[in-house]
């Protein structure tokens, strides 16, 4: 089929205007479809055109008036027009009535369904006005009060912090809010939680010791001490956190697990997973921030190289088989699995997951929380799934032979199975299954793709600087002589007010191994992980170290960071 025939609407216009090549337009349309993201967002993100230029071009082409949203007072938009479901669904914003017509801000002139929906639900004639995509997204977030960027702890009063609501808990700490002795604890903890959200932390650690108390945030995979309250507050801090998580405050001898849903604004709540642990000097409490936005990441944002991404997408498009994601705790396996599930999550598929714990709720997917005390483990959940007419099954982790055998049988009987193991590399994943007792022929016939991964910190784009290293040092790190001769632009971390130690955010490092005929033959013949790894190199599959060095060459991360996450 001709490439131009595969694209339509806005993409066709961009090709005709020679802003985007036909092949690139096809790729963008496919990316938008698989990642369920806005086409215009991808277009601007990859810098094919600026937002202002796109707005002007579309306005001229379709004869639609343009408007600068900065000139609109959002707080004057009538409440009757603030229909959140419609605004989110169509990425469009009703503004105000002019000459009896409701003006609706859109960034896509072919978004006719938005005008029809607003007209039907609001009972007014509608007319489109064209605005810039980024400004529209910010205006929607500001109007619906869902963003964190404008939250400043200094602007929040103690009364507001003390009054922040804990939702969906069986017990409410009314006394803590009203009692003057406990109110400072409530305010202090809420400030820490807000600060952790603003800094992008993934975990909070509250740690008592003999003579001091320490609070640490894990930011981009590294723990940083952020506070040291008096040791005398240890018991009250732990008690407050346990009350928020609906845990037994009288039980201090055994670990407990719970969850907190904290309402931080009119329409935004954040979930935390809470774990307590009795230590020598008191209870340590660790909280994990469960960020549902990470589950909506498109595959292009995770760090896959183009060839690796194609292998992953191809495996997801298979009607059956097994995709295994492997790596240590905190290596991003959950996000990779959720990204794959989001791509598969269509009306035509029945998807079921067994997780321990269920960290992020995904609409349209049947998620099961493992409860071993009640007899609901991975293997029993998986057996139940197979009686529920599934198309796709995700098992949080393959921990034993029984679960492995059921998962493999499912993959061989017309189901696509996704799961994880804790191994260091793709090759070791296959030998781990062998060591569990899974027959070699079952592994060779059922596993379609193995992904080993790590998370490396991204260099801050504002302060990173070139790092000169002698050729012998580059050779010892794994670069080839040809790469050195061609010239390498390597950067190192510096540090500025906009980042943490020279790094900001993280990127995935991947080893994506498809099950080839030669690798399948090696498994059946009893080959070990070293032999499988050698065959991967022959087939051109990059291992974790090689993938990390690619990120160094691209200026995404530093050589020090690449060595930190792949030096095993």
């Amino acid at each position: 089929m001709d490439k131009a025939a595969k694209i339509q609407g806005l993409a066709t216009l961009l090709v005709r205007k020679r802003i985007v090549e036909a092949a690139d337009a096809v790729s963008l349309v496919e990316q938008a479809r698989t990642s369920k993201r806005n086409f215009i967002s991808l277009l601007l993100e990859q810098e094919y055109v600026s937002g202002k230029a796109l707005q002007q071009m579309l306005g001229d082409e379709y004869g639609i008036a343009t408007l600068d949203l900065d000139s609109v007072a959002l707080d004057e938009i009538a409440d009757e027009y603030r229909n959140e479901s419609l605004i989110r669904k169509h990425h469009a914003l009703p503004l105000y009535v002019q000459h009896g017509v409701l003006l609706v801000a859109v960034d896509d002139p072919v978004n006719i369904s938005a005008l029809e929906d607003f007209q039907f639900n609001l009972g007014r004639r509608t007319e489109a006005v064209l605005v810039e995509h980024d400004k529209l997204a910010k205006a929607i977030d500001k109007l619906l009060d869902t963003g964190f960027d404008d939250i400043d702890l200094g602007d929040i009063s103690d009364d507001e912090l003390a009054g922040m609501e804990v939702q969906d808990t069986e017990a409410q700490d009314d006394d803590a809010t009203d009692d003057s002795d406990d109110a400072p604890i409530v305010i202090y903890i809420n400030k820490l939680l807000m600060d952790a959200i603003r800094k992008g932390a993934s975990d909070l650690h509250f740690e008592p010791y003999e003579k001091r108390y320490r609070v640490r945030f894990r930011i981009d995979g590294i723990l940083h001490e952020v506070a040291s309250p008096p040791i005398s507050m240890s018991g009250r801090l732990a008690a407050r956190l346990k009350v928020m998580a609906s845990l037994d405050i009288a039980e201090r001898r055994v670990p407990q697990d719970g969850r907190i849903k904290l309402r931080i604004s009119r329409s935004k709540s954040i979930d935390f997973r809470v774990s307590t642990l009795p230590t020598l000097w008191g209870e340590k409490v660790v909280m994990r921030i469960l960020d549902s936005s990470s589950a909506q990441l498109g595959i292009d944002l995770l760090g896959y190289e183009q060839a690796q991404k194609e292998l992953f997408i191809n495996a997801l498009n298979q009607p059956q088989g097994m995709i295994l994601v492997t790596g240590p705790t905190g290596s991003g396996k959950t996000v990779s699995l959720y990204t794959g599930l989001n791509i598969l999550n269509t009306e035509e598929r029945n998807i079921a997951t067994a997780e321990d714990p269920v960290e992020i709720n995904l609409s349209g997917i049947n998620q099961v929380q493992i409860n071993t005390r009640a007899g609901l483990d991975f293997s029993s959940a998986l057996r139940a799934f197979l009686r529920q007419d599934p198309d796709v099954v995700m098992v949080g982790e393959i921990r034993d032979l029984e679960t492995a055998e059921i998962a493999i049988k499912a993959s061989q009987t017309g189901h696509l199975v996704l799961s994880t193991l804790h191994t260091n590399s793709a090759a070791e994943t296959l030998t781990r299954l062998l060591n569990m007792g899974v027959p070699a022929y079952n592994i060779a016939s059922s596993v379609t793709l193995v992904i080993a991964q790590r998370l490396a910190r991204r260099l801050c784009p504002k302060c990173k600087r070139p790092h000169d290293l002698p050729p012998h040092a580059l050779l010892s790190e794994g670069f080839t002589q040809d790469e050195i001769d061609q010239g390498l632009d390597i950067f190192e971390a510096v540090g500025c007010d906009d980042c943490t130690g020279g790094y900001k955010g993280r990127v995935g490092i991947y080893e994506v191994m498809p099950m080839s005929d030669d690798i399948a033959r090696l498994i059946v013949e009893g080959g070990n992980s070293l032999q499988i790894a050698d065959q991967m190199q022959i087939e051109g599959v990059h291992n974790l170290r090689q993938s990390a060095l690619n990120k160094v060459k691209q200026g995404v991360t530093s050589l020090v960071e690449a060595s930190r996450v792949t030096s095993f």
Side-chain angles (χ1 to χ4, degrees):
M1 184 184 292
D2 181 69
K3 287 179 178 177
K6 294 182 180 179
I7 54 178
Q8 44 188 288
L10 178 56
T12 304
L13 173 64
L14 294 170
V15 172
R16 179 159 56 82
K17 294 281 187 180
R18 297 187 177 180
I19 293 174
V20 180
E21 296 292 332
D24 292 337
V26 172
S27 176
L28 282 169
V29 170
E30 181 63 18
Q31 286 180 40
R33 184 187 68 80
T34 56
S35 63
K36 299 181 181 177
R37 295 186 63 205
N38 184 285
F39 174 80
I40 293 178
S41 175
L42 286 172
L43 183 76
L44 298 176
E45 184 180 284
Q46 299 184 26
E47 299 181 348
Y48 283 100
V49 64
S50 70
K52 185 67 177 176
L54 180 64
Q55 178 197 24
Q56 195 60 52
M57 182 197 75
L58 294 177
D60 293 342
E61 180 71 20
Y62 290 92
I64 298 177
T66 59
L67 175 70
D68 184 356
L69 265 182
D70 290 340
S71 65
V72 176
L74 297 178
D75 55 353
E76 294 181 6
I77 295 177
D79 288 342
E80 62 184 294
Y81 302 146
R82 302 189 185 203
N83 188 317
E84 181 170 354
S85 62
L86 288 180
I87 291 172
R88 291 293 186 200
K89 176 182 177 182
H90 296 292
H91 192 69
L93 186 61
L95 298 176
Y96 46 80
V97 176
Q98 188 176 73
H99 306 303
V101 176
L102 176 63
L103 296 183
V104 180
V106 298
D107 58 4
D108 185 351
V110 299
N111 191 2
I112 305 300
S113 61
L115 300 179
E116 294 174 344
D117 244 6
F118 280 114
Q119 181 168 314
F120 178 79
N121 284 277
L122 301 181
R124 281 192 175 275
R125 280 199 308 121
T126 56
E127 185 176 306
V129 59
L130 209 56
V131 298
E132 291 181 52
H133 172 82
D134 289 344
K135 289 185 178 180
L136 178 58
K138 290 178 181 177
I140 289 173
D141 278 344
K142 187 173 182 180
L143 182 74
L144 301 179
D145 193 22
T146 59
F148 296 122
D149 292 340
D150 58 346
I151 293 175
D152 185 347
L153 290 177
D155 294 337
I156 301 178
S157 69
D158 286 352
D159 288 342
E160 290 174 314
L161 282 166
M164 289 170 67
E165 297 178 24
V166 178
Q167 300 175 288
D168 298 339
T169 58
E170 296 175 4
Q172 293 295 327
D173 191 18
D174 296 330
D175 294 337
T177 303
D178 298 333
D179 192 279
S180 60
D181 291 336
D182 288 340
I185 296 292
V186 175
I187 294 168
Y188 183 73
I189 287 178
N190 286 348
K191 278 186 175 180
L192 284 173
L193 299 185
M194 290 293 293
D195 202 23
I197 293 167
R198 292 182 65 246
K199 290 182 177 180
S202 60
D203 302 85
L204 298 82
H205 291 238
F206 294 81
E207 304 169 308
Y209 297 97
E210 182 180 11
K211 296 182 179 179
R212 64 186 296 252
Y213 193 94
R214 178 172 68 175
V215 180
R216 292 189 291 175
F217 293 170
R218 187 177 294 278
I219 302 172
D220 295 336
I222 304 296
L223 283 168
H224 302 271
E225 183 170 340
V226 296
S228 183
I231 187 62
S232 60
M233 292 174 61
S234 172
R236 294 165 67 194
L237 287 170
R240 170 60 187 169
L241 291 169
K242 288 164 71 175
V243 165
M244 294 173 71
S246 297
L247 301 178
D248 184 355
I249 61 173
E251 179 56 78
R252 303 183 182 92
R253 300 164 298 173
V254 296
Q256 297 186 67
D257 294 298
R259 292 172 78 101
I260 296 173
K261 182 184 283 289
L262 185 69
R263 180 183 289 278
I264 64 170
S265 67
R266 178 168 55 86
S267 59
K268 187 67 176 182
S269 299
I270 291 289
D271 288 333
F272 299 84
R273 191 177 79 212
V274 182
S275 172
T276 69
L277 179 70
T279 69
L280 187 61
W281 304 107
E283 284 185 286
K284 174 178 178 176
V285 182
V286 175
M287 306 176 68
R288 168 154 291 187
I289 299 176
L290 305 178
D291 181 11
S292 59
S293 65
S294 66
Q296 308 301 324
L297 286 177
I299 192 171
D300 295 294
L301 300 180
L302 298 185
Y304 285 93
E305 304 293 341
Q306 183 62 31
Q308 295 175 332
K309 182 184 76 172
E310 289 175 1
L311 287 171
F312 191 17
I313 294 293
N314 288 340
L316 290 170
N317 287 331
Q318 299 301 314
Q320 64 184 56
M322 180 181 288
I323 300 172
L324 296 174
V325 182
T326 181
T329 300
S331 60
K333 299 188 299 297
T334 300
V335 173
S336 285
L337 287 174
Y338 281 155
T339 300
L341 290 176
N342 268 328
I343 293 172
L344 295 168
N345 188 13
T346 63
E347 185 180 341
E348 296 81 17
R349 291 189 180 97
N350 176 21
I351 302 176
T353 74
E355 304 172 61
D356 185 21
V358 176
E359 294 193 357
I360 298 170
N361 297 324
L362 296 177
S363 177
I365 293 177
N366 307 291
Q367 296 174 276
V368 174
Q369 169 70 57
I370 295 302
N371 185 347
T372 52
R373 289 183 180 178
L376 179 59
D377 55 16
F378 283 115
S379 58
S380 59
L382 192 47
R383 277 194 296 269
F385 288 168
L386 298 181
R387 296 190 290 271
Q388 293 273 316
D389 184 32
D391 297 296
V392 180
V393 171
M394 194 271 272
V395 185
E397 184 183 347
I398 294 178
R399 297 175 178 173
D400 52 51
L401 176 59
E402 185 181 12
T403 305
E405 286 180 333
I406 300 171
I408 284 176
K409 287 177 183 176
S411 70
Q412 293 173 334
T413 54
H415 307 92
L416 181 62
V417 179
L418 288 75
S419 191
T420 71
L421 278 90
H422 287 283
T423 57
N424 284 330
S425 67
E428 290 177 36
T429 301
L430 300 178
T431 56
R432 172 67 60 84
L433 290 173
L434 284 170
N435 293 336
M436 281 184 179
V438 179
Y441 61 85
N442 273 341
I443 299 173
S445 64
S446 60
V447 176
T448 55
L449 190 75
V450 182
I451 301 174
Q453 66 179 80
R454 301 290 186 276
L455 288 178
R457 292 177 292 171
R458 288 181 182 267
L459 283 167
C460 173
K462 291 187 177 180
C463 66
K464 68 179 182 180
R465 68 184 177 196
H467 189 195
D468 292 326
L469 288 171
H472 70 271
L474 295 173
L475 282 171
S476 67
E477 291 291 345
F479 291 106
T480 65
Q481 188 62 54
D482 287 342
E483 290 173 325
I484 296 171
D485 292 340
Q486 292 172 9
L488 291 171
D489 293 325
I490 295 176
F491 295 86
E492 64 178 344
V494 178
C496 65
D497 293 338
D498 199 47
C499 65
T500 304
Y503 298 95
K504 188 174 183 180
R506 290 193 286 180
V507 65
I509 307 293
Y510 301 95
E511 178 179 286
V512 182
M513 184 195 76
M515 179 63 75
S516 67
D517 292 340
D518 288 329
I519 291 176
R521 189 177 302 112
L522 264 177
I523 296 168
V524 173
E525 293 173 354
N528 58 38
S529 60
L530 293 177
Q531 292 171 310
I532 295 172
D534 288 341
Q535 182 60 35
M536 288 168 55
Q537 290 293 295
I538 293 172
E539 296 178 5
V541 175
H542 283 178
N543 60 31
L544 285 167
R545 180 64 178 175
Q546 291 166 328
S547 295
L549 293 180
N550 275 341
K551 290 293 186 289
V552 174
K553 288 191 296 183
Q554 295 163 9
V556 175
T557 192
S558 67
L559 191 54
V560 172
E561 180 67 5
S563 296
R564 183 184 72 86
V565 298
T566 62
S567 59
F568 53 87

